[in-house]
Amino acid sequence: MSTLRALAKAQALAAGVAQPVATVRHLHLAQRPLVLVPLAMAGEAHAPLAALVGTDPADARLLVVPQPRNRDQRFRFVTELAATVLPWLDGFRGVSEAVAVDRGRDVRYRYADAPQLWVPNPAGITFLRLLGRSTRFRRPDGEYPVHPAVPLLGRWLTFFAERAEQPGSSALLAMTDALTLHWATGQSAVEDQHLPALLGWIDPPAGSTGAEAAARAEDPAVCPPAGPATDPEFDNVALAPVMAAWAAADDDPAARDEAYAELVRLLRGQLAPTWELMWRGLGLLDGLPPGARVAARWAGDRDAFTGYAEHLDADGGPQPRHDGAVAAAIRLHRLERAATSYAVQRAYDDPLVMAEHRLAGEAFVADVTLADPGRVDDSGKRPVLRPRIQVVTTEPVRMPVGATLWSTARPAQKATVVFVTPAADGRTEVVLELSGGMGRGLTAPPGSVPQVGERLCLTTLSEAYLPAGTFPTAEETPWTHGGPPTYELPGALSSVVG
């Protein structure tokens, strides 16, 4: 936990209401998101019990599994879920846009929009990942056939789960993570994963504090758990007898229908409060202006959606159960690059996020007191424009001479530290030499060089392109990582080869 967030949590506890830790929204908010509130059976490894799903707060579709231990009923649940999710996905594949590539010499096409899926908490993402893993390899023919929509939905759920690992992605989001990214409460990080309590801190009812609202929300009778886990008392007292009555009424259709109707009523009562909280959370997030770099990250989600849709159109296979050594290294490298880029972009978009880096000595705010925009360096083979400015700050400057800084107002311009001079009144004078972002001539365009009196935020964080690493092909996997992959041959061929 950063110093600034710890301070915000202390202030939230003192004030009785959550404190903002962001001035802009750092994620994309779709116009037509799909909200999914899953519920799993306690004591069973990933046994879906029910789900509320839909794109309209007033039109939620309830899916119920009367007996989650029954394999056929579980796949019937997945088929019904696919009947909602797959048409929603296809609705984003109607309009494409051209994107310039290779410096404008060519174009490629991607979908103009992409789907966005919301679940209450990170456990909901895990639920979808496991559901995708258990269904994407199923077949509509052969032994134990399933509906053709089942493996297709499993591949899409796996796609969303993998996008959720990508820092900055907005394809699959957990509401608790999205809210804690923008607000700090007076409770622990574990308690923040309880959506009703979290919203109690952020948006408490009139006349009550966040702590009081959170305490009331933690009562399962007031607001049931936000899934996929269920309340143990509800399981034992209400759910178990109804499920037993449904199973016992195998030869009595009227009694079975009555038990099923009661089961639907119970499960809707468990899920409906969380459904309402999900849309309430979306409304709170919609009240924040989006960050300047959110659209570019959403474009990456649209690229990923387009690429995977084309993969499926070409009869591409499901995602593998496990990555090979090279594929795992490439995935880790991609995620590390995305995490670094996401942290920099959030800091550039949001002064409150940048304040954390200022406290860590990675940035400072200063005023320009002197500027020489026409300075030319002719010590090399040809003269180049190298303006110099002097800034004065009251913050500690921990960057040594020769360090490279960037200004949040001009991300493409480098500023090299030339002198650092502490003044007697506690201020620090820093002389910077500028390069980049001023064209190729010997005269700086207007506005490209900071002017006297301008206030700058200078940081070591850079938005410069991070080159991808170089990795061997799968066939060249080093022996230290298992060597090249081996492939199993059919029985007849393996005997010939052997």
Side-chain angles (χ1 to χ4, degrees), residues 196-288:
L198 176 60
L199 280 171
W201 275 97
I202 297 174
D203 188 23
S208 64
T209 65
E212 294 169 346
R216 287 194 298 270
E218 290 175 354
D219 183 357
V222 176
C223 193
T230 55
D231 176 53
E233 185 174 356
F234 167 79
D235 291 344
N236 297 326
V237 176
L239 184 61
V242 175
M243 294 182 68
W246 182 89
D250 193 17
D251 298 330
D252 188 348
R256 170 160 286 207
D257 290 344
E258 182 180 353
Y260 182 79
E262 178 63 16
L263 180 62
V264 169
R265 186 190 66 80
L266 286 174
L267 293 176
R268 185 178 291 277
Q270 286 292 110
L271 293 170
T274 301
W275 174 265
E276 296 173 359
L277 292 177
M278 291 290 291
W279 293 99
R280 182 176 157 197
L282 288 173
L284 291 172
L285 292 169
D286 191 38
L288 295 173

Side-chain angles (χ1 to χ4, degrees), residues 161-184:
E162 290 179 348
R163 289 303 297 174
E165 298 177 352
Q166 180 88 2
S169 171
S170 296
L172 173 58
L173 295 167
M175 181 59 70
T176 53
D177 287 350
L179 293 175
T180 53
L181 184 65
H182 300 87
W183 284 276

Side-chain angles (χ1 to χ4, degrees), residues 69-345:
R69 296 183 181 91
N70 184 290
R71 174 186 174 277
D72 293 335
Q73 292 186 27
R74 289 163 65 165
F75 283 114
R76 190 177 302 120
F77 164 86
V78 179
T79 303
E80 294 176 354
L81 181 62
T84 297
V85 175
L86 295 181
W88 170 71
L89 290 171
D90 290 338
F92 295 91
R93 303 181 62 179
V95 181
S96 299
E97 63 181 13
V99 182
V101 296
D102 196 15
R103 297 185 179 181
R105 289 190 288 267
D106 198 1
V107 296
R108 62 180 175 85
Y109 293 90
R110 70 181 174 206
Y111 292 121
D113 201 1
Q116 185 180 64
L117 181 58
W118 285 85
V119 293
N121 48 37
I125 296 178
T126 302
F127 178 90
L128 295 185
R129 177 183 293 109
L130 293 176
L131 185 61
R133 182 178 180 179
S134 65
T135 55
R136 70 177 185 264
F137 296 107
R138 298 293 176 178
R139 298 179 60 87
D141 52 12
E143 191 177 10
Y144 304 116
V146 297
H147 192 278
V150 170
L152 180 59
L153 177 65
R155 297 176 191 184
W156 274 116
L157 292 181
T158 303
F159 164 79
F160 278 106
E162 290 179 348
R163 289 303 297 174
E165 298 177 352
Q166 180 88 2
S169 171
S170 296
L172 173 58
L173 295 167
M175 181 59 70
T176 53
D177 287 350
L179 293 175
T180 53
L181 184 65
H182 300 87
W183 284 276
T185 69
Q187 60 186 6
S188 70
V190 174
E191 292 170 315
D192 281 343
Q193 295 305 311
H194 188 261
L195 182 59
L198 176 60
L199 280 171
W201 275 97
I202 297 174
D203 188 23
S208 64
T209 65
E212 294 169 346
R216 287 194 298 270
E218 290 175 354
D219 183 357
V222 176
C223 193
T230 55
D231 176 53
E233 185 174 356
F234 167 79
D235 291 344
N236 297 326
V237 176
L239 184 61
V242 175
M243 294 182 68
W246 182 89
D250 193 17
D251 298 330
D252 188 348
R256 170 160 286 207
D257 290 344
E258 182 180 353
Y260 182 79
E262 178 63 16
L263 180 62
V264 169
R265 186 190 66 80
L266 286 174
L267 293 176
R268 185 178 291 277
Q270 286 292 110
L271 293 170
T274 301
W275 174 265
E276 296 173 359
L277 292 177
M278 291 290 291
W279 293 99
R280 182 176 157 197
L282 288 173
L284 291 172
L285 292 169
D286 191 38
L288 295 173
R293 291 160 178 80
V294 169
R297 294 196 294 271
W298 181 243
D301 284 324
R302 288 188 284 140
D303 286 333
F305 172 67
T306 303
Y308 194 68
E310 292 175 348
H311 169 78
L312 292 179
D313 290 343
D315 294 329
Q319 299 90 338
R321 286 186 174 87
H322 304 287
D323 285 333
V326 174
I330 293 174
R331 179 197 291 263
L332 179 60
H333 178 65
R334 185 184 72 250
L335 295 179
E336 288 175 342
R337 292 174 64 214
T340 301
S341 177
Y342 180 49
V344 173
Q345 290 180 7

Side-chain angles (χ1 to χ4, degrees), residues 320-376:
R321 286 186 174 87
H322 304 287
D323 285 333
V326 174
I330 293 174
R331 179 197 291 263
L332 179 60
H333 178 65
R334 185 184 72 250
L335 295 179
E336 288 175 342
R337 292 174 64 214
T340 301
S341 177
Y342 180 49
V344 173
Q345 290 180 7
R346 288 186 61 228
Y348 273 58
D349 280 352
D350 196 334
L352 268 180
V353 178
M354 181 61 79
E356 298 182 2
H357 297 280
R358 290 167 64 183
L359 289 173
E362 298 173 338
F364 63 89
V365 172
D367 297 313
V368 180
T369 56
L370 295 173
D372 183 6
R375 179 180 177 275
V376 174

Side-chain angles (χ1 to χ4, degrees), residues 426-498:
R427 300 186 301 170
T428 302
E429 297 177 351
V430 183
V431 176
L432 303 169
E433 184 174 287
L434 308 180
S435 60
M438 297 174 290
R440 298 185 177 182
L442 297 181
T443 302
S448 61
V449 177
Q451 300 178 355
V452 174
E454 186 175 346
R455 194 170 181 82
L456 302 177
C457 179
L458 298 162
T459 177
T460 57
L461 303 175
S462 170
E463 275 198 300
Y465 172 73
L466 298 174
T470 302
F471 296 91
T473 63
E475 292 73 19
E476 297 173 333
T477 303
W479 67 268
T480 53
H481 292 73
T486 57
Y487 303 96
E488 295 183 1
L489 297 174
L493 290 179
S494 61
S495 61
V496 173
V497 175

